[in-house]
Amino acid sequence: MRLAVPLPLPDAEIVFYPAFLELSECDRLFTELRQTIAWRHEAITLYGQSQLQPRLTAWYGDAGKSYRYSGLTMHPTPWTPLLLDLKEKVEAVSGVRFNSVLLNLYRDGNDSMGWHSDDEPELGRNPVIGSLSLGETRRFRLRHRREPTQKQELALTSGSFLLMRGTTQHNWQHQVPKTKRRVAPRVNLTFRVIA
Ligand SMILES: O=C(O)CCC(=O)C(=O)O
Ligand SMILES: [Mn+2]
C-alpha cells in the first residue's frame, strides 16, 4: 500500500512515499490542522536584519524540547491527539521516535522556505527529518552543497511523506520556492528528534 521510492542522490539518504496517507482523509486532516494549530507569524534574524518569515509556523512536542534557529527560539506546545496520531504513523516507517514537530502553513504562492539544511546542533549528528504534506501541491527542490550539477525536484502532493536521514543534511540543501501560480494553502509537518 505504501509505495517507498528511494531517491538515488549521492551523499544522501532520502525516501519518498507519494501516497502515505489515504487521499480520502487528507482534506479532513488539512482542515483540522489549519483551524486548530496555534499558528504564529514569527520574525527571524538573517544577516543582522529582523524579518517576518514568509509563512506561518508552529512548534509542538515533548516538554522541554525547544528549537532555535536564525535568532528565534520556539518552545513546544503540548502534543494534540491528532499530531500524536500522525507521529505514530510516520514513526512506523521511519524507525525512530520523534519528539517534536515543526509545522509550516504556506498561505499562498507568496509563502515559501528559502534554501537551508536542517542542521541545527540540537538535531544531532545525522538528523532524521520526516516531512508530511497536506493541501496544495508545492515544489520541493534539493541541491548539493558542493556539486552544482547535482539537484533534484519533487512535487510534494497532499498525503505524501518525505524521509531524510543519514548525511543528507550535511551535503544537501532544500527549499520550497514561491510561485506566481494561484495556489491554495498547504500545511507541512516536519517531525524531528531534538536531543
Ligand atoms: O515545507 C516543506 O516541504 C519543507 C519544510 C522544511 O524544509 C522545514 O520545515 O525545515
Ligand atoms: Mn527543512
Side-chain angles (χ1 to χ4, degrees):
M1 176 187 96
R2 284 187 182 150
L3 178 66
V5 184
L7 301 193
L9 300 180
D11 312 318
E13 218 178 296
I14 308 180
V15 182
F16 184 51
Y17 299 78
F20 184 78
L21 298 175
E22 302 279 345
L23 218 45
S24 59
E25 61 177 348
C26 288
D27 283 356
R28 178 184 61 80
L29 291 171
F30 171 79
T31 303
E32 185 171 339
L33 289 169
R34 203 178 158 197
Q35 290 175 351
T36 62
I37 292 296
W39 297 106
R40 300 170 61 123
H41 200 186
E42 304 264 22
I44 53 168
T45 308
L46 280 184
Y47 309 109
Q49 297 248 13
S50 172
Q51 53 192 69
L52 283 173
Q53 294 185 100
R55 63 188 174 277
L56 305 187
T57 58
W59 178 248
Y60 283 69
D62 293 1
K65 300 296 179 189
S66 297
Y67 191 44
R68 256 169 296 271
Y69 65 95
S70 305
L72 171 69
T73 302
M74 301 181 93
H75 299 294
T77 303
W79 293 102
T80 65
L82 172 55
L83 289 176
L84 280 178
D85 182 54
L86 292 174
K87 178 169 104 73
E88 268 178 32
K89 286 196 165 86
V90 301
E91 283 174 343
V93 298
S94 307
V96 294
R97 287 259 153 198
F98 294 107
N99 58 22
S100 51
V101 61
L102 176 64
L103 294 101
N104 294 296
L105 171 58
Y106 301 81
R107 296 159 293 179
D108 58 28
N110 251 332
D111 277 356
S112 61
M113 167 99 61
W115 285 112
H116 69 282
S117 304
D118 295 318
D119 58 358
E120 287 75 23
E122 57 264 52
L123 296 174
R125 194 168 155 61
N126 286 327
V128 183
I129 308 284
S131 170
L132 197 58
S133 293
L134 290 161
E136 180 68 84
T137 300
R138 293 289 296 260
R139 285 164 69 205
F140 183 83
R141 300 172 72 201
L142 288 148
R143 71 177 183 196
H144 197 285
R145 289 210 208 184
R146 299 173 305 278
E147 304 285 345
T149 58
Q150 292 290 347
K151 41 194 170 187
Q152 174 76 274
E153 189 172 314
L154 287 172
L156 295 186
T157 49
S158 195
S160 70
F161 179 61
L162 184 76
L163 184 61
M164 299 186 276
R165 66 189 339 153
T167 60
T168 306
Q169 306 301 325
H170 299 268
N171 300 311
W172 290 77
Q173 293 181 315
H174 51 273
Q175 71 156 188
V176 177
K178 294 184 193 303
T179 174
K180 292 218 157 51
R181 284 186 308 121
R182 275 183 79 89
V183 293
R186 164 176 182 259
V187 167
N188 171 261
L189 304 89
T190 52
F191 290 90
R192 293 156 190 256
V193 184
I194 298 286

